[in-house]
Amino acid sequence: MNDAVLPAEARNDLVRGLEAMGLEAAFAEPLCTYLALLARWNRTYNLTAIRDPREMVTRHLLDSLAMRPYIETGRLADLGTGPGLPGIPLAITRPGLQVTLVESNGKKARFMREAVRQLGLGNARVAESRAEALDEPAAYDHLTARALDTLAGIIEVGGHLLRPGGTLLAMKGVHPHEEIAALPAGWTVRQVHPLVVPGLTGERHLVEVARG
């Protein structure tokens, strides 16, 4: 693989995955640009443990996009986003969504700034900060965290960012019954959505938690 182009197999996996999810094929180009940039930077900076481009398509891009039907517009803070997951795929495919990519790791933040620049994503910004240190109280309609912590842990570090009536959209594997039971006062589960990710085995759920 050269610096600019994904292997044809990975690109084909993405196109088929987008079709299976009912998404426009036109999204494949910017998503491939993002993934090729991630693969290139990853060789030097170790931004993600997943190195195979086809596995990246499934476990990074398509997995991130599985939550897209449940978020359309408003302001989203993506906590502990790493190299921009799910925030950058959501920003690409939801131009009406304003995404703040919250990440304290400097290498990952630098990568995201370059990705946002190259993709021309006017609806995404990088906040190089720990979630608990981000001084933007009640500024967001939605929070998400794909692999950050338990539900209570996410709320502890990032709950201050969410406006009253806003929602936390947390990506989980199996149905997190124990985490739901441990939610702090003032937070309630609105719905748990089973997700289908093309090419991915195992359970995936999106837990929608509302702030009272």
Side-chain angles (χ1 to χ4, degrees), residues 182-195:
L183 280 172
W187 297 81
T188 56
V189 171
R190 185 174 288 171
Q191 206 164 350
V192 180
H193 307 280
L195 302 178

Side-chain angles (χ1 to χ4, degrees), residues 4 6 11 14 18 24-38 61 65 88-89 91-94 115-116 118-121:
L6 289 176
R11 182 179 290 268
L14 177 58
L18 291 174
E24 299 171 28
F27 289 136
E29 183 178 353
L31 288 167
C32 281
T33 298
Y34 164 66
L35 199 61
L37 187 66
L38 175 57
L61 296 185
L65 291 172
I88 288 179
I92 289 170
T93 61
R94 287 289 193 204
V116 166
Q118 286 202 21
L119 291 162
L121 287 177

Side-chain angles (χ1 to χ4, degrees), residues 6-159:
L6 289 176
E9 296 88 347
R11 182 179 290 268
N12 291 340
D13 289 347
L14 177 58
V15 171
R16 284 193 296 267
L18 291 174
E19 182 179 5
M21 299 173 89
L23 294 173
E24 299 171 28
F27 289 136
E29 183 178 353
L31 288 167
C32 281
T33 298
Y34 164 66
L35 199 61
L37 187 66
L38 175 57
R40 175 160 62 88
W41 277 59
N42 202 44
R43 292 201 291 267
T44 303
Y45 296 107
N46 195 31
L47 304 177
T48 169
I50 300 173
R51 297 190 173 275
D52 176 71
R54 297 186 73 178
E55 193 177 358
M56 284 182 169
V57 166
T58 302
R59 294 180 60 184
H60 284 339
L61 296 185
L62 298 180
D63 187 63
S64 293
L65 291 172
M67 69 179 292
R68 182 181 180 274
Y70 305 101
I71 183 166
E72 295 185 18
T73 59
R75 299 190 69 197
L76 168 71
D78 180 14
L79 309 182
T81 184
L85 299 160
I88 288 179
L90 290 174
I92 289 170
T93 61
R94 287 289 193 204
L97 186 66
Q98 297 295 318
V99 179
T100 297
L101 303 157
V102 184
E103 175 56 53
S104 61
N105 181 285
K107 291 184 295 185
K108 294 173 182 177
R110 286 194 296 275
F111 164 74
M112 287 190 292
R113 283 192 286 267
E114 179 62 14
V116 166
R117 186 190 68 80
Q118 286 202 21
L119 291 162
L121 287 177
N123 62 328
R125 59 181 277 259
V126 179
E128 188 174 340
S129 171
R130 296 180 62 84
E132 59 267 36
L134 190 61
D135 188 18
E136 298 179 7
Y140 292 92
D141 306 296
H142 312 284
L143 300 181
T144 193
R146 187 163 165 260
L148 182 65
D149 204 340
T150 63
L151 295 172
I154 295 167
I155 289 166
E156 182 179 355
V157 301

